[in-house]
Amino acid sequence: MPRLKKEAPSQDPIEQDFLDAIDRLRDGEPKNKQLKVRKAKGTLKVNVANVALEAGHSRTLIALETGCRYPRVRELIKQAKTGHSRLPTTLNEVIARLRAENAELRVQLNTHKAAVLAHFNARDKAENEAARERAAASRLRKEIAESVKVVVIASREA
């Protein structure tokens, strides 16, 4: 089976510098002296400032939210921050990811089905109880109507 390409090749040497810097930071092997010190301290992170420092280019090329000159680099940095890896490179990885997602969705579906069933049972029980109460109230009204007898009580003064 053919393998999927990791990503499209870079046409711009500056973008390639940024991509190489991201790879070095992910691997924990920076070339920049300041970043080597941060690595020794254990505070090395993949972020816009560190990638720009490692690449040797201005941070503003990748830091702007809108009008970013290298949006693909910015997206890779965001993915590295959140811990998401790049897109799967083989079909087996795609299949494994889809199977895991499918399993999660099945669990959610079963949870929602259980909640709906509990709601349905509670509503059915309440409707049955309301029908019994209406029937009892009707019976009581009927009994009261039948048992009403007018009794004249004579007063003592008369």
Side-chain angles (χ1 to χ4, degrees):
M1 264 189 207
R3 292 180 62 119
L4 297 175
K5 289 184 178 180
K6 206 158 98 172
E7 54 194 29
S10 174
Q11 298 294 325
D12 188 359
I14 295 175
E15 184 177 19
Q16 188 59 47
D17 290 342
F18 283 125
L19 295 174
D20 293 339
I22 291 172
D23 288 338
R24 286 193 301 270
L25 290 175
R26 280 185 180 162
D27 296 338
E29 300 171 358
K31 290 183 178 178
N32 186 285
K33 290 180 183 180
Q34 293 174 347
L35 296 177
K36 285 181 182 180
V37 170
R38 289 182 193 168
K39 180 188 176 224
K41 289 181 184 178
T43 60
L44 182 64
K45 296 179 183 177
V46 179
N47 58 30
V48 173
N50 288 346
V51 170
L53 189 61
E54 177 67 18
H57 295 289
S58 174
R59 179 173 63 91
T60 58
L61 294 173
I62 55 176
L64 299 175
E65 189 71 34
T66 57
C68 178
R69 187 161 175 200
Y70 300 103
R72 186 170 70 156
V73 172
R74 183 169 174 75
E75 184 61 32
L76 287 174
I77 293 170
K78 283 182 184 179
Q79 288 176 359
K81 279 184 180 180
T82 59
H84 292 15
S85 61
R86 293 183 186 166
L87 295 175
T89 57
T90 65
L91 293 177
N92 288 337
E93 289 176 3
V94 171
I95 290 169
R97 183 182 54 80
L98 290 174
R99 284 184 177 157
E101 186 177 324
N102 191 2
E104 286 180 29
L105 291 174
R106 285 181 191 271
V107 167
Q108 288 178 357
L109 178 65
N110 290 337
T111 303
H112 293 309
K113 279 183 180 179
V116 167
L117 182 61
H119 177 74
F120 176 78
N121 288 338
R123 181 177 176 165
D124 190 42
K125 182 180 175 183
E127 286 175 354
N128 290 338
E129 188 175 324
R132 279 194 304 273
E133 294 296 326
R134 279 193 301 271
S138 176
R139 268 193 321 275
L140 288 174
R141 274 191 237 107
K142 190 175 182 181
E143 286 178 17
I144 290 172
E146 289 174 359
S147 68
V148 173
K149 296 182 182 177
V150 178
V151 177
V152 178
I153 301 177
S155 64
R156 291 185 181 183
E157 295 177 4

